[in-house]
Amino acid sequence: MEEQKTKEWKLLLGSSVDRDKRRSLRSIRKLAESGIPEKIRPEVYGWLLEPERRLGNYAKLASTKIDSEEITYTISADAVRALPENAHSGLQSSDTLKRILTAYANHCPECGYTQGMSNLASRILKYSLSEEIAYERFSEFMKIFNFAEVFRPGFPLLFRWIRMFEELVASRLPVVHRKLIHHGVTSAMYVDKWFLTGMTYNFSEPACERIWDIMLVDGNEKILFRVGLTVLALGEVKGVFDKEFEDVVHWLQGGYNKEEELQGKNLDAFIKKATKVTYRRPSIARSIDSQGGVRRIQSALCLAPQA
């Protein structure tokens, strides 16, 4: 099975269709939903995140001292935490990740560095063949997936995404929505970490791989919303939202990852359910500002840019 999928990926990667048009092919989306084979994932990720032109200034950016000592300290601490326990040597080391994050902070001083970036960069570093390539792909990711806007001062896009998610929960999962309101559980208690880290926070490694396979092929963040809604739907099936407040919050902040539906072969069915969730982003987004939802979330979340 894996060999067949690898052959199909190589055939697609070797085609003459440009990157954006390939993303629209139904065949590549279907392949992504079933999971990219591990041995070819670096090649596929490279193709999906390869910048249009090489930046060529990595060494200078990585070695330039950041003005803020607080940012420098935070990068050093987060670079260790963001890597898997068995990935602290060679290319996948905290020193490498620290240099990549330093380079990006210097490249985009408006964003600087904020917690969450290290998780994103670590995911890209894992499937890159060199440090500089990882940096350039991370920079490309931040641009084409709008994560630079997520991390800009004031977190403008983050708050918009959270409000969009709330709208989707209210319309798609009204029973869950009412139960969360009854408990006094707000989106600020769990959703921000999902979006800031691209679903790498408190999701298993296999789940992260599947989510990122789809996200990179799609070329947008929609799978993050779909997975989030599927997690909440799972919680309703498990009776989580009928429990006490502390139990609900604990589950939403990572307890879901222990459910059998997100483990082993069961993960296939979970991902399949997530990919079937449909919504129209513009129609959701239009109602947000008029309702004052973004300002409400900004006051509820205790987030401050570290730049």
Side-chain angles (χ1 to χ4, degrees), residues 159 294-302:
F159 295 127
V294 172
R295 289 189 296 275
R296 175 177 57 76
I297 294 169
Q298 286 173 328
S299 64
L301 279 170
C302 298

Side-chain angles (χ1 to χ4, degrees), residues 9 21 48 87 105 122 127 140 161 170 192 212-213 218 235 240 255 257 270 278 282 296 306:
W9 274 110
K21 288 184 178 179
L48 292 168
S122 173
Y127 295 108
E140 185 74 0
W161 282 359
D192 60 307
W212 273 63
D213 287 353
D218 283 352
V240 171
N257 192 43
F270 177 87
T278 60
R296 175 177 57 76
Q306 298 179 22

Side-chain angles (χ1 to χ4, degrees), residues 2-290:
E2 289 293 291
E3 289 184 6
Q4 179 60 34
K5 286 199 292 184
T6 299
K7 289 180 180 178
E8 292 182 45
W9 274 110
K10 285 187 174 293
L11 184 62
L12 283 166
L13 295 175
S15 67
S16 58
V17 182
D18 66 44
R19 181 174 68 181
D20 292 335
K21 288 184 178 179
R22 287 183 199 174
R23 279 196 170 107
S24 66
L25 295 176
R26 185 172 298 179
S27 56
I28 193 172
R29 174 63 191 273
K30 186 176 180 180
L31 280 173
E33 289 177 3
S34 66
I36 300 172
E38 181 71 14
K39 66 180 180 181
I40 200 175
R41 191 174 275 123
E43 186 178 348
V44 176
Y45 278 25
W47 163 66
L48 292 168
L49 292 173
E50 200 66 38
E52 294 181 358
R53 60 183 180 86
R54 299 296 299 273
L55 300 177
N57 57 350
Y58 174 69
K60 181 179 179 180
L61 290 170
S63 60
T64 300
K65 185 178 180 180
I66 299 174
D67 292 338
S68 171
E69 292 185 4
E70 181 181 358
I71 292 179
T72 300
Y73 173 81
T74 305
I75 287 177
S76 297
D78 287 355
V80 175
R81 288 194 291 260
L83 290 170
E85 293 182 1
N86 61 346
H88 287 273
S89 61
L91 182 61
Q92 257 196 298
S93 70
S94 57
D95 287 339
T96 302
L97 187 56
K98 177 183 175 181
R99 289 192 293 270
I100 291 171
L101 295 170
T102 298
Y104 186 78
N106 285 319
H107 167 70
C108 185
E110 186 175 0
C111 294
Y113 175 78
T114 301
Q115 289 181 329
M117 288 184 183
S118 57
N119 297 74
L120 303 174
S122 173
R123 174 65 37 185
I124 293 169
L125 175 61
K126 180 178 179 180
Y127 295 108
S128 298
L129 299 178
S130 76
E131 184 176 327
E132 183 172 357
I133 287 174
Y135 161 71
E136 293 193 339
R137 290 177 180 174
F138 175 61
S139 299
E140 185 74 0
F141 172 85
M142 295 290 284
K143 179 177 68 174
I144 66 177
F145 287 86
N146 290 321
F147 270 86
E149 293 300 317
V150 169
F151 288 103
R152 287 193 189 283
F155 302 93
L157 190 56
L158 171 65
F159 295 127
R160 195 170 187 84
W161 282 359
I162 293 174
R163 187 66 185 100
M164 286 171 63
F165 186 77
E166 288 184 338
E167 289 281 311
L168 287 168
V169 173
S171 61
R172 298 302 180 86
L173 300 169
V175 174
V176 172
H177 181 64
R178 288 194 295 270
K179 289 181 179 180
L180 290 176
I181 290 176
H182 173 74
H183 281 298
V185 175
T186 67
S187 56
M189 296 178 180
Y190 64 99
V191 178
D192 60 307
K193 293 181 177 63
W194 286 355
F195 290 148
L196 282 170
T197 67
M199 291 289 187
T200 61
Y201 180 81
N202 281 343
F203 279 85
S204 67
E205 181 64 16
C208 289
E209 289 173 348
R210 299 292 295 278
I211 293 168
W212 273 63
D213 287 353
I214 295 170
M215 181 169 66
L216 295 186
V217 167
D218 283 352
N220 59 58
E221 76 290 342
K222 284 186 175 182
I223 189 61
L224 305 182
F225 289 82
R226 291 177 171 129
V227 169
L229 290 171
T230 307
V231 167
L232 293 187
L234 175 63
E236 175 62 9
V237 171
K238 297 288 185 178
V240 171
F241 307 120
D242 296 319
K243 298 180 180 180
E244 297 298 321
F245 170 83
E246 291 79 8
D247 296 323
V248 173
V249 173
H250 174 76
W251 193 88
L252 287 171
Q253 291 182 345
Y256 53 81
N257 192 43
K258 296 180 180 179
E259 300 291 352
E260 61 180 2
E261 285 81 357
L262 276 84
Q263 305 297 326
K265 294 182 179 180
N266 297 321
L267 183 60
D268 287 336
F270 177 87
I271 293 296
K272 188 174 183 179
K273 286 182 181 179
T275 58
K276 289 183 177 181
V277 175
T278 60
Y279 70 94
R280 296 188 64 184
R281 185 168 42 189
S283 63
I284 293 293
R286 276 195 293 268
S287 66
I288 293 176
D289 293 331
S290 62

